[in-house]
Amino acid sequence: LDVTDRGDEGALAAHVAPVNEERRAEYETLAEEYGVALDAVAAVAGAARVRAAPAGERVRSADASWVAR
């Protein structure tokens, strides 16, 4: 996760960090289980999350820019 509104970065980062840590742990488990790189698991999972996002929702692209789905 990331945030597009940088008004209160400290509070937002505190909210987002645990979600990202949990996601990373899941990706690490999958990477070990399948014998692939963590980055590969993250890329596949990220692409799936973008595809699942509703139309109009803002998502972060591979180049780190925010775009409307």
Side-chain angles (χ1 to χ4, degrees):
L1 293 177
D2 198 359
V3 293
T4 56
D5 178 6
R6 302 289 182 186
D8 185 358
E9 288 189 42
L12 293 171
H15 178 74
V16 170
V19 175
N20 286 339
E21 289 170 10
E22 183 177 319
R23 185 177 297 133
R24 181 179 177 90
E26 291 175 14
Y27 293 173
E28 287 173 345
T29 299
L30 289 169
E32 287 179 25
E33 182 178 333
Y34 289 99
V36 297
L38 175 63
D39 289 345
V41 173
V44 170
R49 292 179 66 82
V50 168
R51 283 192 307 275
E57 184 169 317
R58 296 186 55 82
V59 296
R60 198 158 190 192
S61 68
D63 70 0
S65 64
W66 288 96
V67 296
R69 165 89 169 82

